[in-house]
Amino acid sequence: MAYEKERHLMVEYQLRDRGIKDERVLAAMENVPRHRFVGEHLQDNAYDDCALPLGEGQTISQPYMVAVMTELLKLKGSEKVLEIGTGSGYQSAVLSLLASEVFTVERIPSLADRARKLLKELDYRNVHVIVSDGSLGLPEHAPFDGIIVTAAAPEIPQHYIEQLNMNGRLVIPVGGRYSQILYQIKKTPAGIEKSISTACVFVPLIGKAGWQDTEIY
Ligand code: SAM
């Protein structure tokens, strides 16, 4: 009960008051029990206005950033969506309530296993968790109506554009190791429409079309 109240306050003060308008996104984030996606010792901080550690040097993103990125996908409910960077599985659970099918890719097997089990336990049935290098997208399940990348890329991997449906959207943080810009890209018959959303800080997308391990550490 206490978590439900905290979640409601999170939605009202961190999301709605800061300009998140899509009622479906707000309702999904009011619904998903974020505290279940962090370690037990962090459950009381799950609704704080910040990212939290997940282990393996990775993080669950700040609620506001999850909302901004999700809103930019402009989902109506019938879409097939690809998420790169499963992490805790929290963003996948939010997407699961907003789209028809969600594929989520994680490079660290232990995080993918934990997320897969939790998503199953919480009955998010339309989410498929896959271990692979998501910097290459997921060609075997393409095309997608939306692709959301929750790790930072040095540049926009061309694979993502190729794996988008016409009028599909890509949301991705792009930039340097310690700060990036969030881009929204729409694939149209006339070409790519690119717009900038906000500054952000994400952990790196490590892989063939992302950062190399050796460039990071
Ligand atoms: N969306 C997650 C959530 O809701 O908890 C947070 C993701 S965390 C900020 C970024 C994740 O991207 C990490 O779990 C990291 O291991 C993963 N990652 C980094 N490079 C990747 C790659 N090439 N393919 C798949 N996952 C990758």
Side-chain angles (χ1 to χ4, degrees):
M1 210 44 169
Y3 287 130
E4 265 174 46
K5 187 161 182 218
E6 281 193 51
R7 195 153 63 238
H8 181 66
L9 295 176
M10 173 193 87
V11 168
E12 292 306 312
Y13 295 119
Q14 295 177 38
L15 310 186
R16 199 188 290 279
D17 281 2
R18 282 199 197 132
I20 302 297
K21 291 194 171 55
D22 186 330
E23 289 296 337
R24 294 182 72 243
V25 173
L26 293 165
M29 291 187 64
E30 180 104 35
N31 188 290
V32 176
R34 182 174 164 93
H35 60 281
R36 294 295 312 276
F37 292 84
V38 300
E40 264 181 47
H41 62 296
L42 286 173
Q43 289 202 334
D44 287 348
N45 300 102
Y47 299 98
D48 292 355
D49 187 13
C50 58
L52 292 170
L54 282 181
E56 308 279 0
Q58 305 304 322
T59 53
I60 176 173
S61 305
Q62 177 197 26
Y64 176 66
M65 192 49 65
V66 172
V68 167
M69 294 179 81
T70 308
E71 189 170 60
L72 287 172
L73 286 174
K74 298 192 195 307
L75 298 172
K76 298 281 179 265
S78 59
E79 298 85 353
K80 184 167 95 175
V81 176
L82 172 64
E83 177 196 17
I84 307 299
T86 312
S88 66
Y90 174 70
Q91 172 79 70
S92 324
V94 171
L95 291 170
S96 130
L97 299 180
L98 296 169
S100 123
E101 201 172 15
V102 179
F103 290 86
T104 181
V105 180
E106 173 56 55
R107 66 180 276 273
I108 301 176
S110 60
L111 292 181
D113 285 351
R114 197 165 72 194
R116 189 183 292 111
K117 282 190 191 113
L118 183 59
L119 288 161
K120 187 167 182 221
E121 184 192 327
L122 297 176
D123 216 19
Y124 294 104
R125 293 184 193 188
N126 57 347
V127 182
H128 314 277
V129 181
I130 291 153
V131 177
S132 79
D133 175 5
S135 73
L136 304 174
L138 194 60
E140 58 272 39
H141 291 285
F144 301 97
D145 303 303
I147 301 180
I148 177 171
V149 186
T150 65
E155 52 197 40
I156 298 167
Q158 192 56 33
H159 311 276
Y160 295 156
I161 310 280
E162 285 160 11
Q163 291 172 31
L164 269 183
N165 265 326
M166 199 52 73
N167 296 316
R169 288 187 164 82
L170 164 66
V171 177
I172 180 169
V174 180
R177 170 66 184 86
Y178 297 106
S179 72
Q180 305 94 29
I181 301 286
L182 189 63
Y183 283 88
Q184 182 210 28
I185 288 138
K186 186 173 175 195
K187 184 169 175 175
T188 76
I192 296 303
E193 285 173 9
K194 196 176 354 173
S195 55
I196 286 174
S197 167
T198 181
C200 53
V201 181
F202 277 85
V203 295
L205 179 76
I206 298 174
K208 284 199 179 123
W211 296 93
Q212 307 305 301
D213 262 320
T214 48
E215 293 172 332
I216 306 286
Y217 301 106

